[in-house]
Each structure stands twice: as C-alpha cells, then as structure tokens.
Amino acid sequence: MGKKKHKRFNAHKRQSAGIPPVNQEEESDVLTGSLPGAVAGVLEQLQSGEEATRECGCGTVAALALQPGALPVLFGANVVRVLAPLVVDPSPCVRHRALGALRNMTVEGGAPVCEDMVEKDVLTALMALFKQYGTGWEVEEDKTKGKVKKHTDTKLGIFTEAVHVLLNLCEASDAAVNAFNRDKLLPDLLPCLQYSMYGYPLATVVAQCLHTVTEGNQEAVKYCRRDSVLPSLLALVQQTHTSSQGMLFQATLLGILSNVLGEELLTGPVLGSAVAIFKQILEIDVTAGIVEALGKCEQNGVSVNGGGDHESSADEFHVPKPDSAFSDLVNVIDSQRLCIELITNMCCSPDDDWEDVDSSGSGSSDELVADVDMEQDNAGDSFNPLCVPSEVHAAFIASDIVAKVVKSSCPIPAEMLERIKARTSGKQVLSKLTRLRTSALLCINNMVDAMETDALGGIDALHHLWDALAQQVQQPDPAASGQAASSSHDPSSHTESDLLEAMTSAMRAIIQKLVQLNSPKFAEVSSADVQFLVKMAEGAGSSVQVHIMRTVAAIATLLVRTQPEHNVVQDVGSFLVTVAGQSHDLVVVAEALDALFDVFSDDATDPVARRLCLTERLTSILPQLKAKVQSQRKSLGENYITVSTSKTNLIRFIKYKESTSKS
C-alpha cells in the first residue's frame, strides 16, 4: 500500500455545438409545448416527404437535445432510428442538420447516450456516408472565385460534421471503434489530414478522431506504421504551423504519433521534434492572449453576456456567434493542454500498474499479503523508480519544459477572470483554463515522481513549488468556481474538485520527493503546517483525502527518523486514526491505516502511540472494518483486495504493538 499509479491521459471528448435549427420561431413553438407532444411532432417532420419539413425536424431535434430531460424522451420515442437514415438523405441541407442533431446528442448525453446510439445502429448510415465520399475526395470550389464555398452544406461541411459525430461515438464506445476498423475507415480519413487541401477545421477534427481510434487499437496502429503512412505523418508534424489552428492540429498529430510509436517516441528521432513543438506551444503567454482577446472585444464593441455579433449571411442561419476574438486563445489553450498531457504520458510507462497489489491473482487476502516487519522503515517504499529515459531528461532540460508546465499550472489573475466572465464565450474559456491548470498539475505529479531532482530544478525549486501550491490551494479558483460537471454542456469541463485533486496530487508528489531527499527544511515543520492540510481534507473527496493523508504521513515518517516524539508525529497519528475510525469510504479507511503503519512501524514511536491510545483505538475499529469489508465485498470491486489487505495488516500491526508493549 501507499504506492500510487502514474496518471495517464487519454483522448478527451471535445466540446461540440451541432447545427442550429433553421426556423427559430418554429423551434420556440415546439419548446414551449409539452415535450412528448413536441417529440411526436418531430417524428412526423423527420418522415415527411418534403425536404424543408425534414430539415426543420432535424433542426428541432438539435434544439431539443440541449433541453434538460429531453434526451430520455427522444430516445424513448426512438427518434434516433428515424433520424440516423437522414445522414444520407438526398438533400445536403437535411444531411447536415441530421448530423448536427446527432452531434448535439453525443455531446449532451455523454458516453451512455453514445453507446445507446451505436446500439440503435447510427453507424450504418454514418459509415455509408463516409463510403460515398471515398478516398481522396475533392473539395467543392466556387468556379467564379476559385475559393472554397462558405455555405456550410457543402461536401466539406457535411464531412466535417460527420467526423465530429464519429469522434464522439468512438470516444465512448468500443463497438464504434470496432466498426471503424471493420469498415476500414483509416484509408478514407488519413488523406483528410492534408490541411492545405481540406483546411484546418476538417484536418484537426480528423486528427482528433485518429488520436482517439489509435489508442490501444493494434489494428489501426499497425496500419499507421506502414511505410506508406508513417513517413507522411512524420512529415506533417514537422511542418511549420504558425496559426493557432495549425498549432492545435500539430499537437493532435503528436498525439497520434504517441499512440503509434509508443516507447519509440521517447528515444527515437521524433523526440527532438516533439519537444521542440512542446517548447513552441508552451511558450505562448496565455495571460497576454487573454488581454489581447479582451481588448479586441472591447474595441469591436462585442456585446456582453449572450449578445455577440450576428452573421449577415443567411448561410449562417442568423445564429449568435461567440466572441470570435477568443477563438485563437481557445485553440492555444487546447494546444497547450494536449502538449502537457503528452508530456505527462512521457513520464509514465504504458504498463504502469499498482505496484503493491496484483488484482489478477487468486486466493485469499492472507495469501496475497506478505509478512511485514513492523520495525522496517517504509518511507522509501512509496516512491516509484525513475522512468524517464536520459534522452527525455536532456531534451526537457534543454527546452526548460518543467518550468513551462509549472507556469501553466498557475492561476490567472482574478480581475482578468471577471472580465472574461462578462463575455459571451466566458464559460467555455474559463472551463478550458481550469482544464489546462488541472492537466499541468497532474503533469507536475508525474514529472516529480519520474524525473531526477536536478532536472526539476533542484531541492530549493521543489520547496518553492510546494509553497506556491500551498498558497493556491487556500484560494478557490475563480475559473472553476461555480462549475459543476452535472450541469455543464461540456462533459470535459473540470470543476473545483478536479482542480483540488490535481493540486493535492502534485503536493503529495513533491513532499514525497523531498522526504526521499531527506530535506533539512523538514526540521522547521510545525503543527500549524499539518493542521492546514488536515483542514483541507475536511469535506473533500476521497482522492483528495488520500493525497493529504499520504502527504502528512510522509512528513511524519521523515521526522520519526530523528525526532520520533515530535508534536507533528502525534498530530498526524491522531488525524489518521480519526479518519480510519470515522470515514464511511473503505478505500479511504484502508489508506489511513496503511499510512499509520508507515508512521508507527518504528518502535521509537511507541511513546506517542501510547499517548494516542493507538492500539486500543485500532482494536475498536477492527470489528467494524471486518463487518464492512464482508458486507461490501461485491461492491468494492477491484478495491476489495486493497481493503482486505489493510484489514489483514491491521490485525498484524495490533498484535505486533501489543507484543512490543509487553516486552
């Protein structure tokens, strides 16, 4: 126990918008009536022989999908089965709006709805649409001007929308990925990465889709490693991209290559190019970008809170636009977040697993638990071995990657965030800023765990980073404040709890590294320092509590080496035994007990243990723990062995302490 798994990032669901309804007056009429009645009317529209009526029906479904509680009604009426075939409707307008409605459903409903859509055979029509395009299809051009048409119902617009739907389905459903493989879509999608022909919007969403489907997909990886494919991917990623759209495209291409090359990315010739891209993208000053975007909004007179410019062209359906000034900033934030997540994965072996429990084993918990010498100093057992190759260390140091990630973890000034909130796109931008910080903090966790101290800036830099995080964690993030995953239309949005978990994860890693280094500054630690952490744990989620318990336990374990009766040792012991006796979460109880074993395994702590009545209190906890483990055996799932192991170790710990007190 006490070992923690390196955090790895997978491809994330992106925020999507779908296609707005054609006739806002008709939409309003539908939404003001009863939902079942509206759905019945929509079904008639979708099956109409009139193109305009089908188009209107698709637009209404797109709007209904955004309404709270509407999706269960839509799915209960089997709207998806009627809507899906319209993806290959003879009318381009109907196709586009049908795809927009499906896209809204995938975003609003998340993974459960996506899986249901796959079961309702959405993929048959979607795959048929892709096959109509084939490989290497040409973009329609305006013959008079020689430019790509702006009308959204072109082949390009429809194909782009279809890839968005496919991306969301593949992120949520293994069956969708299997269908992707079965219908051999890779040859059809790979040419669309040619941004010079298809433009960045399509090339980027195709890259995002391939980033998703190549993850753990050996069939797709094998195809991408072909001599006819891999050199093209490498050439694309090494091209210079100066626009914000281009940078996002380039970062996503790196994600694909990370999936395709695996460990080869860490030591092969691509490493230099990857780190150079990280450096270029992470050097962009997001704060300066916010100032510039806000200045453009104020200069252009963009209205506040839901106003926004309106397109003058009927092709854009007269739908309010978000603050266009923020589009580049959003691309930069997404690019930086993706680069940081790739860096995080580079500091984590693909086969990292829980080091102390083999969940695939069989037999009783007693058979799985090795005898423990309670007098052994376990302080060093909580550290994973360094897992970053020397080539990566050198590249990160040369490009100052650690400092750039740390900068991305810092909060934006509160005054600036208030100005962002006043913009039409404020909620989206704030969500992305919080997500960027969260990813950066989790990256810090992995870098601290996996890299050498010198590569992290030295022991003083680690102390400085700890102090900065300790200050930040006491101040709620204005960007995350008020966000709730359950109410957000963006399933990937991060809340204050996500951010707090990431902060405490990074703080835990830093403290454990400093303990490993036997930092002399721990001699200055006081009870007030511990109480600050204990207070943070109150009312926090289980992951945050675990990080805090491991943090204070690491501090106490180091103090035990030289000052076993230090006040902090007693404070930590009191905190841990209280959590073990009062928490309703058995995983938290198990972690509290294991932290206690680490701190009080040394006989030198026996005087503190007696003052805490530790053995007596643990003895009273044992019957409750046994009963809870037995009653929750099935619901604990993969955590059962972990919890059962702690129970077994508790019995041994009590017996050991009782024997030492008698001798």
Side-chain angles (χ1 to χ4, degrees):
M1 296 296 294
K3 314 287 176 63
K4 67 177 180 293
K5 197 174 186 178
H6 281 278
K7 302 184 190 308
R8 288 185 60 83
F9 285 97
N10 300 324
H12 294 279
K13 183 179 288 296
R14 285 93 186 163
Q15 186 174 18
S16 306
I19 303 301
V22 179
N23 190 316
Q24 291 183 336
E25 290 183 3
E26 292 185 13
E27 172 207 350
S28 178
D29 292 341
V30 170
L31 296 182
T32 54
S34 68
L35 191 55
V39 172
V42 165
L43 285 171
E44 292 183 11
Q45 289 180 319
L46 296 178
Q47 298 174 83
S48 171
E50 296 293 329
E51 174 185 328
T53 305
R54 295 195 304 276
E55 183 181 350
C56 183
C58 293
T60 303
V61 174
L64 284 173
L66 304 177
Q67 305 304 310
L71 283 178
V73 180
L74 289 170
F75 276 81
N78 263 334
V79 169
V80 171
R81 289 193 184 276
V82 180
L83 178 66
L86 298 183
V87 166
V88 288
D89 190 273
S91 165
C93 293
V94 175
R95 291 187 188 189
H96 200 197
R97 276 178 170 63
L99 287 164
L102 292 172
R103 182 177 171 189
N104 278 358
M105 289 180 175
T106 62
V107 172
E108 295 302 310
V113 163
C114 288
E115 291 173 355
D116 198 5
M117 290 172 70
V118 171
E119 291 179 5
K120 293 186 184 302
D121 207 22
V122 168
L123 287 170
T124 297
L126 193 61
M127 296 300 179
L129 176 64
F130 285 122
K131 290 306 176 183
Q132 285 181 6
Y133 279 76
T135 303
W137 55 276
E138 296 183 359
V139 178
E140 294 173 337
E141 293 186 353
D142 188 321
K143 295 181 180 180
T144 59
K145 297 182 179 180
K147 297 180 180 179
V148 175
K149 292 182 180 179
K150 292 184 179 180
H151 193 288
T152 57
D153 293 328
T154 59
K155 289 176 64 177
L156 178 62
I158 293 170
F159 193 90
T160 302
E161 200 71 15
V163 178
H164 274 291
V165 176
L166 178 65
L167 164 62
N168 292 345
L169 294 176
C170 287
E171 284 177 334
S173 169
D174 290 338
V177 176
N178 292 336
F180 182 98
N181 290 341
R182 182 192 65 231
D183 288 358
K184 302 187 184 306
L185 281 188
L186 260 179
D188 294 335
L189 291 185
L190 280 167
C192 299
L193 294 174
Q194 300 299 327
Y195 61 93
S196 58
M197 178 182 297
Y198 295 99
Y200 277 123
L202 176 57
T204 301
V205 72
V206 167
Q208 290 169 342
C209 186
L210 298 185
H211 183 203
T212 294
V213 299
T214 54
E215 185 174 1
N217 183 349
Q218 290 305 310
E219 184 174 339
V221 167
K222 184 178 179 180
Y223 187 92
C224 289
R225 291 181 69 97
R226 290 183 177 184
D227 292 340
S228 59
V229 177
L230 186 55
S232 299
L233 291 174
L234 294 173
L236 275 173
V237 80
Q238 290 171 350
Q239 290 179 12
T240 301
H241 302 268
T242 55
S243 69
S244 65
Q245 279 190 321
M247 290 180 185
L248 179 58
F249 172 66
Q250 191 175 34
T252 312
L253 283 176
L254 275 179
I256 298 172
L257 286 173
S258 176
N259 291 340
V260 171
L261 295 176
E263 291 291 303
E264 293 178 33
L265 179 65
L266 302 182
T267 56
V270 185
L271 176 62
S273 298
V275 175
I277 293 169
F278 296 156
K279 181 176 185 291
Q280 176 194 5
I281 293 176
L282 294 178
E283 278 180 343
I284 301 175
D285 190 337
V286 170
T287 303
I290 293 174
V291 172
E292 181 180 354
L294 288 170
K296 286 181 180 179
C297 286
E298 293 159 2
Q299 181 180 358
N300 296 335
V302 178
S303 57
V304 178
N305 282 336
D309 294 331
H310 285 69
E311 282 287 335
S312 58
S313 169
D315 290 344
E316 296 298 334
F317 316 115
H318 301 285
V319 176
K321 292 170 54 182
D323 298 342
S324 57
F326 281 102
S327 58
D328 283 337
L329 175 64
V330 166
N331 286 335
V332 169
I333 294 172
D334 284 343
S335 302
Q336 291 190 345
R337 186 263 310 157
L338 183 51
C339 286
I340 286 172
E341 291 181 0
L342 293 173
I343 293 168
T344 304
N345 291 349
M346 291 171 72
C347 296
C348 172
S349 299
D351 57 351
D352 273 341
D353 206 341
W354 298 108
E355 298 176 65
D356 52 322
V357 175
D358 180 7
S359 59
S360 63
S362 59
S364 68
S365 60
D366 287 343
E367 293 171 334
L368 290 166
V369 183
D371 287 333
V372 178
D373 180 359
M374 290 299 174
E375 294 189 76
Q376 181 181 351
D377 185 351
N378 296 319
D381 292 345
S382 57
F383 304 102
N384 295 314
L386 299 179
C387 60
V388 176
S390 58
E391 296 92 337
V392 176
H393 266 108
F396 280 4
I397 292 173
S399 296
D400 202 19
I401 294 298
V402 174
K404 290 175 172 56
V405 173
V406 170
K407 183 179 180 181
S408 295
S409 74
C410 297
I412 301 296
E415 180 273 338
M416 192 175 294
L417 292 175
E418 288 301 320
R419 292 173 64 192
I420 295 174
K421 286 181 181 180
R423 312 319 312 178
T424 305
S425 301
K427 182 178 179 181
Q428 179 194 24
V429 174
L430 293 179
S431 175
K432 288 182 178 293
L433 285 169
T434 301
R435 184 175 174 185
L436 174 63
R437 283 192 69 199
T438 302
S439 295
L441 288 161
L442 293 175
C443 186
I444 290 171
N445 170 86
N446 275 25
M447 290 192 301
V448 170
D449 271 347
M451 296 178 65
E452 296 174 352
T453 306
D454 290 343
L456 298 169
I459 192 169
D460 288 338
L462 288 173
H463 276 290
H464 179 75
L465 181 54
W466 164 267
D467 292 338
L469 290 176
Q471 290 181 353
Q472 292 174 29
V473 82
Q474 298 179 69
Q475 303 171 354
D477 179 30
S481 180
Q483 294 180 30
S486 60
S487 62
S488 172
H489 286 318
D490 180 4
S492 63
S493 65
H494 281 211
T495 63
E496 280 186 276
S497 61
D498 298 311
L499 190 62
L500 181 59
E501 180 180 348
M503 281 186 180
T504 52
S505 175
M507 293 171 73
R508 166 182 171 168
I510 293 168
I511 282 294
Q512 290 183 328
K513 190 81 165 186
L514 291 171
V515 168
Q516 185 186 34
L517 296 170
N518 203 19
S519 171
K521 291 191 176 183
F522 279 105
E524 305 168 10
V525 72
S526 67
S527 294
D529 297 323
V530 172
Q531 288 305 315
F532 145 68
L533 292 167
V534 169
K535 186 172 180 60
M536 194 196 313
E538 295 176 1
S542 58
S543 296
V544 172
Q545 290 185 51
V546 169
H547 289 319
I548 291 174
M549 288 189 295
R550 283 297 170 185
T551 299
V552 297
I555 295 172
T557 303
L558 180 60
L559 290 173
V560 165
R561 298 176 186 174
T562 55
Q563 305 176 64
E565 296 188 47
H566 195 290
N567 288 339
V568 167
V569 176
Q570 182 166 329
D571 293 339
V572 170
S574 178
F575 166 57
L576 294 175
V577 75
T578 299
V579 172
Q582 296 181 359
S583 177
H584 298 292
D585 188 328
L586 281 181
V587 175
V588 172
V589 171
E591 289 287 352
L593 290 173
D594 291 324
L596 271 170
F597 303 154
D598 287 346
V599 175
F600 289 93
S601 60
D602 195 314
D603 290 347
T605 61
D606 285 351
V608 176
R610 284 193 291 271
R611 287 197 293 272
L612 290 172
C613 299
L614 185 61
T615 304
E616 294 83 356
R617 294 170 72 179
L618 290 177
T619 301
S620 67
I621 289 172
L622 184 56
Q624 306 171 35
L625 181 60
K626 287 181 176 179
K628 289 180 180 178
V629 172
Q630 185 62 32
S631 64
Q632 299 182 31
R633 177 166 186 161
K634 292 183 179 179
S635 61
L636 283 170
E638 63 182 10
N639 291 318
Y640 172 73
I641 295 178
T642 301
V643 174
S644 184
T645 299
S646 293
K647 180 198 70 175
T648 303
N649 283 341
L650 175 58
I651 296 171
R652 293 174 176 173
F653 182 83
I654 292 172
K655 289 181 178 178
Y656 176 78
K657 284 300 180 183
E658 287 177 342
S659 67
T660 57
S661 64
K662 294 176 182 178
S663 58

